[in-house]
């Protein structure tokens, strides 16, 4: 804490003039008064009445014996109220000095409530402390994180036109940044400039730090350049702040350019400088460059610290390089370096994420043997790893080890286990662990109940969900937006939209404001059901509640319109989206392309596809699906398909099974047998397994080539792979053999089809009947007619004359 009495020589508010005049005009004290004060210890004057003590304080101030006066006040503040001390010190030229001194005593004693009360009394008298006292007051408020109060006090002074200095502004700006009000911080910075107070390095650093935290690095750089223009020398702190901003926004090149400037300006780096650059490199997976930076760091005499190691452990984890993480750990152990809790947790968490929980548990045991104090965080990291792996036995033993080590399981511990059982749908086990939690005793928190509601919601046990909601409130816990959002989401997915709307109303009535995600769930639920009027009704509620709509909101509505075939309304919605200030993204374009694909409008599909690319949006594999699908219906289908395949290669888009299936089927329909087979070979080489649609297309390809045995082999392969042939499979087989005039083969497949409880489509059945009749195989034809009649589907077949002939 600053010593306020040291600054009394210069008081910027004008109070120092009173003090000086007072000291010059005061009559000489009587000798007995001086002797009394000199011989009396102020700290032992508690028996004196308050007025006498304050008279002595006044005399000490007249003698400029500030430390003695502070000693007396230090005793008085323990027995007297703020208002007593302030009001009983009679108005005099010494009153401002007394007020400043009393304020400093409160601040040095960390009695902030009393200091604030005194400040209010001073202001009530329409007075102000000296600037030095005011600054100490601001600094105290700021250091105690009373940032809003700091801003209120500073604003009060500014409103009265009192001139403050850089220090005052610095504390106010720092407080504005701390509360996240960058607008206010920038406003105060502009006020400094307009008041001809040049911002100093501290002020620039504070504002730049706030801007970088919000990833507004461009604005931070402008302030850095302004510093240079105003000849305010940036320090290593300044460089570190801006480099950190560049690294966190992925602008590594700019960060290293700044590092070069730092060298050129002869600003010495510190370990923070290197750790900042290392963090940026490791997050980008540039581990080789990170190693080079470590060597440079060592060249400056800096030894990697715990944070350095945690950066590398995190980097290796991001690169899925578990071996390098373990090698680095071994190196650390050999050098005898003790890792702290944070660094250890980063290492263990990285191993657990990659399924190496056993190894992480082994390392934790070794760390504990080497003196690391085990914590709840470290044990919970191992527990979470085992739960993710589904190894619940080892999860239980981790909790046992935790308790043996003297670490009490927390709510987070139990929530981790309960979450896993809820994910597995094992609600009885989740309920059992809730019971164990209460036995410990550990009180469930809001998150515990949210996990359970989500778990029962996925199981569609909504009665239990509402019981938990009631239980939660009975235990004094207020449901939050996640509680209601989880329940609404489950109801929507179950198609119980009326109940979801009721929960929304209940949520609002209880003062919990729905966010965009909650409204989006309801809108998506209605869109999935196809009730677009209700979906737009939700949008109206969302707008009325001042919940901020997002692009997700409008994309959901757009997709719903497209699926309903309301393409015109979808196009109008896109215009509305743009008027709202949103920029259509890949999902917006994909929905439109899919809508036009379902409508069979090839031209419009490709028009939107081209517009998408010119807008700078890279197509995804989901973009390709409807494009290939629509090509099957067009005259120039093969040309367009070839174009799509070529562009996919140029865009580094790897086909998925849906694309391969569409391509194989498309080529087969257009008679491009070799291309169809080539696509299947490529599909297999990429490790993508064939499904029913793949096999059906390949069966059609082989039958078009007259290769009946190969077609049969494929069907056998399907069955071997536990893929059951469906209606489409048998229709392809029967029709394919009919076209080859192999009606015997067609009849064999027909028989298997019927035996499996399936029926051929009318035109294929008619084709088979015609073929059998032409070959004189009326017995088989009559069997087919009898079977169709017995199944009550005779009227489905259009060739009535043929049926009549066969029956006769």
């Amino acid at each position: 804490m600053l010593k306020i009495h040291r600054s009394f020589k210069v008081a910027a508010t004008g109070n120092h003039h009173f003090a000086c005049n007072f000291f010059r005009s005061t009559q000489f004290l009587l000798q007995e008064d001086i002797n009394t004060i000199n011989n009396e210890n102020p700290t032992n004057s508690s028996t004196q009445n308050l007025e006498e003590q304050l008279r002595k304080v006044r005399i000490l101030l007249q003698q400029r014996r500030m430390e003695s006066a502070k000693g007396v006040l230090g005793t008085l503040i323990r027995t007297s109220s703020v208002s007593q001390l302030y009001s009983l010190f009679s108005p005099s030229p010494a009153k401002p000095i007394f007020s400043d001194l009393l304020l400093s005593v409160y601040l040095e004693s960390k009695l902030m409530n009393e200091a604030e009360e005194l400040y209010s009394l001073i202001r009530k008298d329409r007075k102000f402390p000296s600037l030095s006292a005011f600054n100490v007051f601001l600094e105290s408020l700021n250091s105690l994180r009373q940032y809003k109060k700091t801003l209120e006090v500073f604003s009060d002074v500014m409103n009265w036109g009192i001139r403050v200095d850089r220090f005052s502004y610095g504390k106010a700006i720092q407080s504005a940044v701390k509360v996240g009000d960058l607008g206010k911080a920038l406003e105060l910075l502009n006020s400094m400039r307009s008041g001809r107070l040049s911002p100093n390095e501290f002020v620039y650093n504070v504002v730049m730090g706030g801007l970088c935290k919000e990833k507004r690095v461009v604005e931070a750089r402008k302030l850095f350049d302004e510093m240079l223009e105003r000849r305010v020398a940036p320090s290593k702190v300044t460089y570190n702040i801006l480099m950190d901003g560049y690294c966190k926004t992925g602008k590594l090149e700019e960060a290293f350019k700044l590092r070069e400037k730092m060298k050129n300006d002869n600003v010495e780096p510190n370990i923070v400088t290197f750790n900042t650059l290392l963090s940026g490199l490791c997050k980008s997976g540039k581990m080789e460059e990170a190693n080079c930076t470590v060597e440079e760091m060592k060249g400056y005499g800096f030894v990697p610290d715990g944070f350095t190691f945690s950066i590398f452990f995190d980097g290796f984890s991001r690169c899925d390089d578990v071996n390098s993480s373990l090698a680095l750990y071994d190196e650390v152990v050999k050098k005898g370096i003790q890792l702290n809790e944070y660094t250890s947790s980063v290492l263990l968490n990285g191993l657990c994420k990659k399924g190496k929980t056993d190894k992480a548990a082994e390392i934790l045991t070794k760390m504990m043997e080497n003196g690391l104090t085990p914590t709840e965080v470290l044990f919970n990291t191992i527990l979470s790893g085992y739960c993710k792996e589904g190894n619940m036995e080892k999860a239980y033993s981790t909790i046992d080890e935790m308790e043996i080590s003297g670490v009490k399981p927390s709510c987070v511990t139990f929530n981790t286990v309960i979450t896993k059982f809820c994910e597995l749908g094992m609600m009885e086990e989740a309920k059992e662990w809730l019971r164990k939690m209460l036995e410990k005793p550990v009180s469930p928190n809001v998150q515990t109940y949210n996990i359970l509601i989500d778990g029962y919601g996925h199981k569609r046990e909504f009665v239990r969900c509402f019981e938990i909601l009631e239980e939660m409130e009975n235990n004094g816990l207020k449901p939050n937006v996640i509680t209601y959002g989880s329940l609404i989401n489950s109801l929507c997915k179950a198609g119980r939209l009326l109940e979801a709307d009721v929960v929304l109303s209940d949520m609002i009535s209880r003062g919990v404001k729905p966010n965009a995600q909650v409204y989006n769930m309801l809108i998506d639920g209605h869109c999935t059901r196809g009730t677009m009027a209700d979906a737009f009704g939700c949008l109206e509620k969302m707008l009325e509640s001042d919940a901020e709509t997002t692009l997700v909101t409008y994309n959901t509505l757009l997709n719903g319109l497209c699926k309903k075939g309301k393409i015109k309304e979808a196009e109008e919605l896109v215009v509305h989206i743009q008027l709202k200030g949103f920029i259509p993204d890949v999902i917006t374009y994909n929905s439109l392309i899919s809508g036009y694909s379902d409508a069979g409008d090839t031209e419009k599909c490709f028009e939107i596809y081209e517009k998408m690319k010119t807008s700078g949006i890279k197509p995804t594999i989901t973009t390709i699906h409807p494009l290939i699908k629509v090509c099957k219906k067009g005259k120039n289908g093969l040309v367009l398909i070839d174009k799509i395949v070529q562009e996919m290669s140029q865009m580094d888009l790897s086909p998925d099974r849906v694309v391969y299936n569409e391509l194989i089927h498309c080529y087969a329909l257009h008679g491009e047998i070799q291309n169809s087979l080539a696509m299947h070979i490529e599909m297999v080489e990429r490790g993508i397994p064939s499904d029913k649609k793949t096999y059906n297309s390949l069966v059609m390809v082989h039958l078009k080539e007259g290769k009946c045995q190969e077609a049969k082999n494929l069907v056998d392969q399907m069955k071997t792979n536990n893929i059951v042939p469906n209606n489409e499979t048998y229709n392809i087989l029967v029709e394919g053999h009919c076209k080859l005039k192999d009606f015997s083969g067609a009849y064999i497949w027909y028989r298997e089809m019927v035996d499996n409880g399936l029926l051929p489509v009318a035109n294929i059945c008619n084709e088979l009947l015609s073929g059998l009749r032409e070959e004189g195989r009326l017995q088989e034809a009559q069997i087919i007619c009898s079977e169709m009649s017995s199944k009550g589907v005779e009227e489905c077949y259009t060739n009535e004359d043929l049926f009549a002939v066969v029956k006769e």
Side-chain angles (χ1 to χ4, degrees):
M1 183 67 70
L2 287 172
K3 300 292 185 182
I4 194 168
H5 64 281
R6 293 177 185 170
S7 304
F8 284 162
K9 294 178 183 178
V10 181
T13 62
N15 292 341
H16 64 290
H17 295 300
F18 290 110
C20 293
N21 292 333
F22 175 75
F23 288 138
R24 282 196 292 268
S25 60
T26 302
Q27 293 181 349
F28 290 107
L29 295 173
L30 295 174
Q31 187 62 45
E32 56 264 37
D33 288 334
I34 297 172
N35 291 338
T36 300
I37 294 169
N38 286 337
N39 295 330
E40 189 174 52
N41 185 349
T43 58
N44 295 325
S45 60
S46 56
T47 56
Q48 303 287 336
N49 60 48
L50 185 57
E51 291 87 347
E52 179 64 20
Q53 294 301 313
L54 290 175
R55 186 185 70 80
K56 290 176 181 178
V57 169
R58 186 185 304 109
I59 293 170
L60 290 168
L61 291 176
Q62 290 168 2
Q63 290 184 312
R64 302 192 184 190
R65 295 172 60 186
M66 297 301 176
E67 287 298 327
S68 298
K70 282 178 70 176
V72 175
L73 288 176
T75 301
L76 292 179
I77 62 171
R78 300 190 190 98
T79 56
S80 306
S81 68
V82 177
S83 57
Q84 283 179 316
L85 293 172
Y86 183 75
S87 60
L88 290 176
F89 192 95
S90 57
S92 70
K95 184 74 176 269
I97 301 174
F98 166 78
S99 300
D100 282 356
L101 189 62
L102 181 58
L103 183 62
S104 75
V105 171
Y106 281 132
L107 293 173
E108 288 179 11
S109 302
K110 294 183 171 49
L111 299 172
M112 283 306 301
N113 290 336
E114 288 78 0
E116 289 179 37
E117 184 183 347
L118 176 59
Y119 178 80
S120 297
L121 290 172
I122 295 170
R123 288 294 296 111
K124 193 174 181 181
D125 283 349
R126 303 176 70 82
K127 304 290 184 183
F128 288 96
S130 66
L131 181 58
S132 55
F134 175 72
N135 281 344
V136 175
F137 184 43
L138 280 186
E139 184 182 33
S140 298
L141 289 170
N142 191 283
S143 64
L144 292 172
R145 299 182 180 179
Q146 295 187 32
Y147 304 121
K148 288 184 179 179
K149 185 68 179 178
T150 305
L151 289 169
E152 286 172 13
V153 171
F154 183 83
S155 179
D156 173 60
V157 168
M158 295 299 288
N159 289 339
W160 278 84
I162 305 300
R163 188 169 178 80
V164 294
D165 61 8
R166 288 186 187 86
F167 185 90
S168 317
Y169 267 109
K171 290 300 162 186
I173 289 171
Q174 187 179 28
S175 293
V177 170
K178 290 288 187 182
V179 297
D181 191 349
L182 269 179
K184 182 66 177 177
L186 292 168
E187 178 189 318
L188 291 171
L189 182 61
N190 284 329
S191 179
M192 280 189 81
R193 295 175 183 131
S194 59
R196 295 182 180 178
L197 272 176
S198 297
N200 57 14
E201 182 215 330
F202 174 79
V203 170
Y204 279 117
N205 286 349
V206 167
V207 180
M208 284 170 61
L211 289 168
C212 287
K213 190 176 181 180
E214 291 195 3
K215 298 185 178 180
R216 294 164 63 175
V217 189
V218 174
E219 293 169 76
R221 181 58 191 247
K222 285 179 182 176
L223 286 182
F224 179 82
D225 293 337
E226 182 185 305
M227 285 181 76
L228 301 178
E229 289 172 11
R230 290 174 176 259
R231 297 188 178 181
V232 179
S235 68
K236 64 183 72 175
V237 174
T238 317
Y239 279 102
N240 289 346
I241 289 168
L242 191 51
M243 277 191 284
D244 186 54
Y246 279 132
C247 287
K248 284 180 178 172
T249 52
K251 297 179 179 178
L252 287 176
E253 188 177 343
E254 292 299 322
F256 277 91
K257 281 182 183 177
L258 199 62
R259 171 71 185 108
E260 287 304 311
K261 179 170 176 54
M262 190 178 185
K263 289 179 186 177
N264 296 334
D265 291 347
N266 294 318
V267 178
E268 286 295 313
N270 58 12
I271 195 165
V272 175
T273 311
F274 291 106
N275 280 343
T276 298
L277 293 170
L278 286 170
S279 182
L281 289 168
C282 290
K283 282 179 181 176
S284 299
K286 298 183 177 181
M287 304 309 293
E288 288 186 16
E289 292 91 328
N291 286 324
C292 293
T293 302
V294 167
E295 292 307 312
E296 183 186 356
M297 174 182 173
K298 290 176 181 177
Y300 276 87
F302 297 114
V303 178
D305 60 6
F307 190 58
T308 313
F309 289 120
S310 66
I311 290 167
F312 269 90
F313 287 136
D314 181 62
F316 289 133
S317 176
R318 288 171 185 270
C319 296
D320 295 332
D321 192 351
V322 175
N323 292 333
S324 292
S325 279
L326 293 172
L328 179 60
Y329 170 70
D330 289 339
E331 182 184 334
V332 167
V333 171
K334 285 176 184 176
K335 290 182 177 178
I337 298 170
Q338 184 76 35
L339 297 180
N340 59 22
E341 182 198 349
Y342 174 74
T343 309
S344 301
S345 67
V346 173
L347 168 62
L348 299 178
N349 190 47
L351 292 171
C352 291
K353 279 184 177 179
K354 300 307 171 187
K356 301 286 185 181
T357 309
D358 279 339
K359 187 64 180 178
E362 179 190 322
I363 288 173
L364 177 58
T365 302
K366 287 181 180 177
M367 286 177 169
M368 289 163 58
E369 288 171 356
N370 291 330
L372 177 70
T373 302
T375 64
E376 177 199 326
V377 171
L378 295 174
F379 276 114
N380 283 345
T381 299
I382 304 298
L383 175 68
S384 179
Y386 280 129
C387 285
K388 284 176 183 174
E389 291 176 14
N391 194 336
M392 301 312 292
E393 289 302 319
K394 288 192 176 179
Y396 304 152
S397 64
T398 300
I399 296 175
D400 291 339
E401 288 174 26
M402 189 175 186
E403 292 183 297
I404 291 167
S405 300
V407 179
K408 185 180 177 183
S410 69
C411 199
V412 174
T413 310
F414 287 100
N415 285 351
T416 302
V417 178
I418 293 170
T419 297
K420 183 60 183 180
F421 283 124
C422 287
E423 286 175 358
L424 295 171
M426 300 169 70
M427 300 313 298
E428 283 302 314
E429 286 79 358
K431 184 179 177 181
E432 175 63 18
W433 274 88
L434 177 64
R435 186 188 62 76
K436 288 181 180 181
M437 183 179 188
L438 294 168
E439 284 178 354
K440 281 301 177 182
V442 176
S443 298
N445 60 10
V446 173
Q447 187 185 3
T448 313
Y449 289 109
N450 288 350
I451 293 164
L452 289 167
I453 288 173
D454 189 58
Y456 282 110
H458 278 95
K459 296 281 285 183
R460 306 291 187 260
E461 296 182 28
F462 294 111
V463 172
R464 183 64 185 133
C465 286
F466 287 108
E467 287 175 352
I468 292 170
L469 193 62
E470 186 178 353
E471 183 183 325
M472 182 179 184
E473 291 174 316
N474 290 339
N475 289 337
L477 294 173
K478 186 178 178 181
N480 59 18
V481 70
I482 296 173
T483 316
Y484 287 109
S486 180
L487 182 52
I488 288 171
N489 186 45
S490 295
L491 288 167
C492 287
K493 287 185 175 177
R496 299 171 70 162
L497 296 168
L498 182 61
E499 290 164 276
D501 285 331
V502 170
V503 172
L504 177 70
S505 299
D506 182 60
M507 175 183 185
I508 295 168
S509 69
R510 292 173 182 272
V512 181
K513 187 177 179 180
N515 56 21
Q517 287 75 20
V518 172
Y519 281 109
N520 289 346
M521 290 169 192
L522 285 161
I523 289 170
D524 182 59
H526 285 297
C527 287
T528 300
R529 180 176 276 190
T531 52
M532 295 308 299
D534 292 327
F536 278 95
C538 282
L539 176 64
E540 288 300 318
K541 286 182 185 177
M542 189 176 185
L543 295 170
E544 287 169 7
S545 70
D546 294 327
E548 190 175 346
T549 55
T550 64
L551 185 57
V552 173
T553 311
Y554 293 106
N555 277 343
T556 304
L557 289 164
L558 181 71
N559 191 46
L561 289 170
C562 289
K563 284 183 176 177
K564 289 285 285 184
K566 297 184 177 183
I567 308 298
K568 185 179 178 182
E569 291 92 328
E571 290 271 24
E572 289 171 357
L573 183 59
V574 172
V575 174
H576 178 73
I577 290 172
Q578 291 171 312
L579 290 173
K580 291 278 288 185
F582 295 109
I583 299 171
D585 64 1
V586 67
I587 296 171
T588 316
Y589 284 104
N590 285 352
S591 295
L592 286 172
I593 292 170
S594 184
Y596 279 112
S597 175
D598 290 340
D601 194 335
T602 308
E603 185 178 344
K604 196 67 177 175
C605 279
F606 278 88
E607 179 187 318
I608 295 169
Y609 174 61
E610 292 302 326
K611 186 178 179 181
M612 177 183 186
K613 290 187 292 182
T614 54
S615 298
I617 297 172
K618 184 182 176 182
T620 64
I621 201 70
T622 308
T623 316
I624 305 301
H625 294 166
L627 287 174
I628 294 178
K629 181 182 175 184
V630 80
C631 286
K632 292 190 292 187
K633 304 170 186 177
K635 293 180 181 178
N636 298 321
L638 283 177
V639 175
L640 292 172
I641 284 175
D642 287 337
K643 178 188 175 185
I644 293 168
V645 171
Q646 187 178 357
E647 288 194 0
M648 282 178 67
S649 178
Q650 291 169 354
M651 293 184 290
D652 291 328
L653 277 179
S654 298
D656 60 1
R657 183 161 60 187
V658 174
V659 171
Y660 275 118
N661 279 343
E662 290 291 355
L663 288 171
I664 291 167
H665 189 64
C666 250
Y667 284 130
L669 284 177
H670 287 85
E672 293 285 330
I673 308 300
Q674 294 308 313
N675 281 341
S676 186
L677 294 172
M679 279 292 116
H680 181 247
I681 291 168
E682 185 180 312
M683 178 181 177
V684 172
E685 287 175 349
R686 286 179 178 265
I688 300 172
S690 301
D691 63 3
K692 198 169 295 185
K693 187 167 185 178
T694 317
Y695 281 112
N696 287 346
S697 297
L698 292 171
V699 167
M700 181 171 63
V701 167
H702 285 305
L703 288 173
K704 281 193 173 190
E705 285 197 309
K707 297 179 178 179
C708 299
Q709 185 58 46
E710 283 82 349
K712 182 181 182 303
N713 292 342
L714 281 170
V715 176
D716 292 339
Q717 191 179 333
M718 282 178 76
K719 294 173 182 176
T720 302
N721 293 332
N722 295 318
I723 299 173
V724 180
N726 60 4
N727 251 43
E728 186 182 358
T729 314
Y730 287 112
N731 277 320
I732 290 168
L733 286 162
V734 174
E735 184 181 30
H737 280 278
C738 284
K739 290 190 182 303
L740 294 170
K741 303 300 181 183
D742 178 12
F743 297 107
S744 296
Y747 182 71
I748 291 169
W749 287 117
Y750 163 79
R751 287 256 45 89
E752 184 175 319
M753 183 180 192
V754 173
D755 291 343
N756 287 330
L758 304 173
L759 295 174
V761 294
N763 65 316
I764 294 174
C765 189
N766 287 335
E767 193 173 349
L768 176 57
L769 284 169
S770 295
L772 292 171
R773 181 190 175 199
E774 287 173 9
E775 290 186 352
R777 300 174 64 175
L778 297 181
Q779 185 177 357
E780 289 96 329
Q782 193 169 9
I783 291 170
I784 293 173
C785 290
S786 298
E787 286 173 340
M788 295 303 106
S789 298
S790 67
K791 295 182 184 297
V793 293
E794 182 178 323
E795 65 275 11
C796 296
Y797 295 86
T798 57
N799 195 341
E800 293 178 6
D801 292 337
L802 177 61
F803 261 95
V805 170
V806 171
K807 281 183 176 181
E808 290 174 4

